[in-house]
Amino acid sequence: MVEKNKKLKVVFSGGGTLGSVTPLISVYDAIKEKYPNTEFFWVGTKNGPEKVLIEDKGIRFLVFFSGKLRRYVSLYNIIDLFKIIIGFFESLIFLKKEKPDLCISAGGFVSVPLHWATRFIKIPTWIHQQDVRVGLSNKLMSSFATVITTALEQNSNYFPIEKTVYLGNPVRQDILDVDKQKAIELFGISRKKPIVLVTGGGTGSENVNRLVADSVEYLKDTCDIIHLSGKDRSHELLNKIALDNDHYKTFSFLQDEMKHAYAVADLVISRGGFGTLTELSILKKPAIIIPIPGHQEENVAFLAKSGAVILVDQSTCTGQKLASIVKDILGDKESMQNMSEKLSKLIRVSKKQDILNIFEKIIIK
């Protein structure tokens, strides 16, 4: 049994996008609530969207060198290899100095040098696999991991059975604790029409932004739109559209307000990151998913096949076609209800006590 007042040190890592960040925030919240004296660190990326969220939590944010190993021949592989080596030694120095009790990651190449370094000073690690396709970073870290958890039961087969646990996906509980009326007032929405929330992820998406921009005119009599366009994207055109259309509001990025945007949304249009899909699942929101080609398509495929989400291909979709899909969904309340119910059953949300059980089991060892 771990004493509640014991001073522990935990290092999280991940970033570049919010995909590897949001489930770990839930893990952080669970540990912080039960073990308030724990000291936390976060190793992230220099320019990723995660820094604002992490520092807002009061977690010390660190940036080490890291690099991406591509599965094809590229000069950048050589350059990034040197970055990984530098990051490894930075991590080694940090770990020897701070002597953390545990390092936790949900993937991302920023985590690889750190987790490799733990092996040399015998610090336990926990990695979490979200996506349908096992990422290369988690493959590289799995052999050193003390515990591996998975969001999907099928992915347990890709890792050593003796240290793998089917956990489901952690979700921030604060997204459930929202005053809907306050959320409506926050965005200045009348509620005379359904509300569609559009998000292209933490960094945004030019493809999603283009589709939404082209669909606004077609949806003026159908719905109000809250569009999160991404802080790294161009906003000039979107801001002009917002000035000319009362039913369209655009924001580059939302922090705490994101839970309010979810609360007022009748329909969500998003990318196919597993963290976002899990949030939609627990909130029971009908969704149109426009996945990034690659692993996100695999995340969405089994959900679309079961009728839990509507899958849209960004390469063939137009603004007019997207508007038509939105109109069809909003016009069929029964279909919206069925979609949200199916999604909530297909994606398992991890329980706080299960997260704590794994944490305590590692710490006791």
Side-chain angles (χ1 to χ4, degrees):
M1 184 69 179
V2 182
E3 294 180 12
K4 289 187 177 182
N5 295 324
K6 185 176 180 180
K7 183 68 179 291
L8 300 168
K9 288 186 178 182
V10 176
V11 181
F12 293 100
S13 59
T17 69
L18 294 181
S20 59
V21 174
T22 52
L24 296 188
I25 291 177
S26 175
V27 175
Y28 160 81
D29 287 339
I31 298 171
K32 180 69 174 176
E33 181 181 352
K34 186 167 183 181
Y35 300 100
N37 291 330
T38 301
E39 184 177 2
F40 296 94
F41 303 85
W42 194 293
V43 177
T45 60
K46 184 178 180 180
N47 300 312
E50 72 276 4
K51 183 177 181 181
V52 176
L53 291 176
I54 300 311
E55 290 186 336
D56 188 54
K57 286 280 189 180
I59 303 173
R60 183 179 166 190
F61 188 83
L62 305 167
V63 176
F64 298 155
F65 274 92
S66 62
K68 180 178 181 179
L69 292 177
R70 298 156 187 84
R71 304 181 195 227
Y72 52 86
V73 178
S74 171
L75 178 62
Y76 288 108
N77 280 336
I78 299 174
I79 297 171
D80 281 5
L81 180 59
F82 282 103
K83 290 182 179 180
I84 292 170
I85 293 170
I86 295 170
F88 170 82
F89 284 105
E90 285 181 314
S91 299
L92 204 60
I93 292 168
F94 164 73
L95 293 171
K96 284 186 175 180
K97 177 184 176 183
E98 296 296 342
K99 298 180 176 60
D101 297 279
L102 177 63
C103 290
I104 308 174
S105 170
F109 282 94
V110 69
S111 298
V112 174
L114 177 71
H115 277 241
W116 278 357
T118 61
R119 185 178 187 182
F120 291 85
I121 41 184
K122 296 182 179 179
I123 293 171
T125 63
W126 170 6
I127 65 171
H128 180 65
Q129 173 60 40
Q130 294 188 90
D131 296 314
V132 172
R133 182 195 300 179
V134 178
L136 180 57
S137 58
N138 272 357
K139 286 181 179 179
L140 292 171
M141 294 186 290
S142 62
S143 60
F144 309 136
T146 308
V147 171
I148 301 164
T149 55
T150 65
L152 295 168
E153 188 171 16
Q154 67 201 52
N155 279 353
S156 300
N157 300 324
Y158 294 104
F159 300 106
I161 190 171
E162 67 276 7
K163 60 180 180 180
T164 303
V165 179
Y166 170 42
L167 177 68
N169 214 30
V171 171
R172 299 169 294 165
Q173 294 300 302
D174 68 321
I175 64 174
L176 300 172
D177 184 24
V178 183
D179 183 331
K180 196 167 184 178
Q181 184 56 42
K182 187 180 290 185
I184 291 170
E185 293 170 2
L186 177 65
F187 291 103
I189 296 171
S190 67
R191 280 308 261 162
K192 292 179 181 179
K193 293 182 288 188
I195 297 170
V196 176
L197 170 64
V198 184
T199 171
T203 56
S205 163
E206 291 291 356
N207 285 310
V208 172
N209 289 353
R210 172 183 54 79
L211 285 172
V212 173
D214 292 345
S215 72
V216 170
E217 179 64 23
Y218 298 105
L219 292 169
K220 61 183 178 182
D221 297 322
T222 303
C223 62
D224 287 321
I225 303 168
I226 299 172
H227 180 195
L228 310 187
S229 54
K231 67 174 187 176
D232 296 335
R233 306 298 170 179
S234 173
H235 303 105
E236 186 176 350
L237 173 62
L238 300 176
N239 288 335
K240 184 179 184 304
I241 292 173
L243 287 173
D244 296 336
N245 293 272
D246 292 339
H247 69 293
Y248 173 77
K249 299 179 185 296
T250 181
F251 303 87
S252 60
F253 188 71
L254 295 178
Q255 289 177 238
D256 188 56
E257 303 92 342
M258 186 64 192
K259 64 185 180 185
H260 296 288
Y262 271 141
V264 298
D266 297 291
L267 173 67
V268 178
I269 300 174
S270 81
R271 285 302 204 182
F274 212 86
T276 299
L277 293 174
T278 310
E279 290 176 344
L280 296 175
S281 168
I282 196 171
L283 292 169
K284 294 187 176 182
K285 296 290 181 179
I288 297 170
I289 308 298
I290 310 173
I292 298 172
H295 76 279
Q296 285 196 2
E297 290 177 313
E298 295 177 40
N299 287 346
V300 180
F302 83 100
L303 299 174
K305 186 177 180 181
S306 301
V309 300
I310 299 296
L311 172 61
V312 169
D313 185 340
Q314 68 178 29
S315 65
T316 58
C317 192
T318 64
Q320 185 175 4
K321 184 177 180 181
L322 179 62
S324 178
I325 295 170
V326 170
K327 290 177 182 179
D328 288 344
I329 295 174
L330 291 178
D332 188 346
K333 301 298 182 184
E334 184 178 350
S335 177
M336 291 174 67
Q337 180 68 26
N338 289 337
M339 286 171 59
S340 60
E341 291 292 340
K342 288 177 181 177
L343 183 60
S344 69
K345 292 176 181 177
L346 286 171
I347 297 180
R348 175 178 172 179
V349 177
S350 57
K351 297 176 182 178
K352 181 169 67 174
Q353 189 55 54
D354 290 338
I355 293 170
L356 290 171
N357 288 344
I358 291 169
F359 173 74
E360 290 165 352
K361 184 177 179 181
I362 297 171
I363 295 299
I364 289 172
K365 281 185 178 180

